Amino acid sequence: MTRFTAWNVFWQGMTGQKGWSRQWRDPAPKAHYDVVIVGGGLHGLATAYYLAKTHGVKNIAVLEKGWIGGGNAGRNTTIVRSNYAQPGNREFYEHSLKLWENLSHELNYNVMFSQRSHVALLHSPGAIDAASRNYNTMRLTGTPDAEIWDLPTLKRAVPHLNYAANARFPIIGAAVQKRAGTARHDAAVWGYARAADARGVDILQNCKVEGISRDGGRITALDTSRGRITAGKVAFAVAGSTSLLWQMAGLGGLPIESHKLQAFVSEPLKPLLDQVVVFGMGGAHFYISQSDKGGMVFGGDLDWYKSYAQRGNLPIVQDVAEAAMSVLPCLGRVKLLRHWSGLVDMSMDGSHFICKTPLDNLYLNAGWNYGGFKASPASGWWFADLIASDRPAPMIAPFDLKRFERGLQIDERGAGPDCKLHG
Ligand SMILES: Cc1cc2nc3c(=O)[nH]c(=O)nc-3n(C[C@H](O)[C@H](O)[C@H](O)COP(=O)(O)OP(=O)(O)OC[C@H]3O[C@@H](n4cnc5c(N)ncnc54)[C@H](O)[C@@H]3O)c2cc1C
């Protein structure tokens, strides 16, 4: 693997960029692997990396039906934060944020992590009370950068918002996490891929799992578009396709629904917005940041129905545009460059699963809802630990499938068992 240094970046710049080697191999599938990870998104690749690096597992494959990062990993709006108040979530996401803070060094690849603050707008005294409770909890439990801003502070920091007193939802303050921000999603994919490959992981693209063979309570082999592969352990990290793989493995229902989530990017603008800004009020949901290229990157709610498609519908475009106009009216004449959607795995309490399954050698990583990009380093870290040790560490013990049977949901929003309300 080429190691990136200031010197070789300079030297390649001076000599026509001709000396770079491929960043990861394109190996032929082997007949057997000790661990097969299905899904070449961020969670699958991060898991492979930590399995190889931290746990010394040698014979690992990541199977990806398309190209790595072609799913949600390369389709999200790149927000990274750890502003969670529920026990379980707050430790997990704080660990993830700490891993992000060192990820470029860890992977020797610039993931462009930019800690520019996450600013959640508040519109009522009740909302300020609720946010204060959550953010004080964060401060008391190891997330020191949680703040509540009053209106003058917010106006100074984010001057272009619509502060009209007669707005439908007047802005009166904000809940802010200062170490939160954005990272470049495909750089994170490539960084994990090249670092995993350098430790011997076979990344098999265009390799779709089409069938699963079992011998009683164990998976014995995966039938793929590139042939049959036997496996000691199998790990699912397929985001919105989890229920399809689950059925293929002959298992029953899952507390997950697959939904589409759209995102948008505008033409590039001069610097306008220094933070990630989130607006969620009265049925509207909108979040926006500005990419390093200048494009305004934004999104809103889920599409309104379950689906395995990756194409969004137009009413959501209208919804998001309306919310954008109510918060940042200056965007009114900005041209939209592209919009797309991804397939998200919405769980019934809005929290994820990193757990063992009813099959002895099958492990599950799923239920990331809107928020799995920020989770991916910690997800890979703890999923690798589970696969290697075969027992859930305390950090992930709450995130199993049985929590619904025990009545111990991790419902950050208090929204109840409707996955659409956890967006
Ligand atoms: C529009 C949008 C905006 C988002 N914004 C944010 C955000 O700002 N912050 C945040 O934290 N999160 C965000 N998310 C959520 C985040 O992107 C996901 O939770 C996360 O990427 C999911 O994990 P992953 O990267 O492993 O998934 P994916 O990249 O989807 O990886 C799963 C892979 O499995 C592969 N696969 C599926 N079936 C098979 C099969 N049969 N055989 C082989 N391979 C298979 C797929 O091709 C896919 O590449 C957003 C999601 C979307 C769609």
Side-chain angles (χ1 to χ4, degrees), residues 124-396:
S124 69
I128 292 195
D129 283 352
S132 303
R133 254 195 314 277
N134 283 355
Y135 277 52
N136 283 335
T137 304
M138 285 163 59
R139 289 172 75 97
L140 292 169
T141 53
T143 305
D145 56 321
E147 294 181 4
I148 302 294
W149 284 358
D150 61 10
L151 195 54
T153 312
L154 179 63
K155 279 184 174 170
R156 270 196 307 280
V158 198
H160 301 298
L161 299 178
N162 177 9
Y163 291 107
N166 65 351
R168 174 73 180 85
F169 299 110
I171 298 167
I172 62 170
V176 179
Q177 186 181 20
K178 296 190 106 171
R179 286 155 59 237
T182 59
R184 182 165 164 180
H185 49 19
D186 42 15
V189 170
W190 301 330
Y192 271 120
R194 69 195 280 280
D197 175 86
R199 284 169 176 77
V201 173
D202 280 1
I203 298 171
L204 305 173
Q205 301 186 82
N206 297 311
C207 187
K208 180 176 183 183
V209 174
E210 294 169 335
I212 295 177
S213 301
R214 272 174 55 179
D215 180 6
R218 286 183 71 78
I219 291 182
T220 48
L222 302 171
D223 290 309
T224 80
S225 52
R226 296 179 69 181
R228 193 174 173 83
I229 296 174
T230 60
K233 294 181 176 181
V234 178
F236 288 168
V238 290
S241 303
T242 305
S243 45
L244 295 175
L245 269 291
W246 199 250
Q247 283 159 26
M248 226 183 263
L251 296 165
L254 266 181
I256 286 179
E257 286 182 2
S258 295
H259 284 261
K260 284 174 290 180
L261 178 64
Q262 301 193 44
F264 307 77
V265 65
S266 77
E267 60 184 332
L269 307 177
K270 287 184 178 172
L272 172 75
L273 192 62
D274 280 344
Q275 302 83 0
V276 177
V277 172
V278 180
F279 164 66
M281 190 66 207
H285 183 198
F286 177 69
Y287 43 93
I288 186 162
S289 64
Q290 187 164 22
S291 78
D292 293 338
K293 283 194 285 189
M296 304 306 295
V297 179
F298 54 95
D301 251 323
L302 295 174
D303 281 26
W304 294 309
Y305 50 87
K306 289 178 276 183
S307 166
Y308 291 114
Q310 284 201 118
R311 179 174 297 185
N313 72 53
L314 285 172
I316 285 290
V317 178
Q318 182 173 346
D319 244 32
V320 172
E322 282 171 2
M325 286 303 294
S326 67
V327 179
L328 270 164
C330 62
L331 292 182
R333 302 187 64 180
V334 171
K335 292 197 185 75
L336 193 63
L337 204 61
R338 283 183 293 127
H339 97 279
W340 62 90
S341 81
L343 184 54
V344 291
D345 39 338
M346 302 296 294
S347 71
M348 293 301 148
D349 60 357
S351 294
H352 53 274
F353 304 100
I354 301 181
C355 57
K356 297 180 70 167
T357 70
L359 301 185
D360 282 350
N361 62 341
L362 175 65
Y363 303 82
L364 178 67
N365 177 313
W368 292 103
N369 297 269
Y370 270 55
F373 176 65
K374 62 180 177 290
S376 47
S379 164
W381 177 288
W382 292 108
F383 198 34
D385 183 76
L386 175 70
I387 296 165
S389 68
D390 208 34
R391 49 155 184 77
M395 179 72 102
I396 54 165

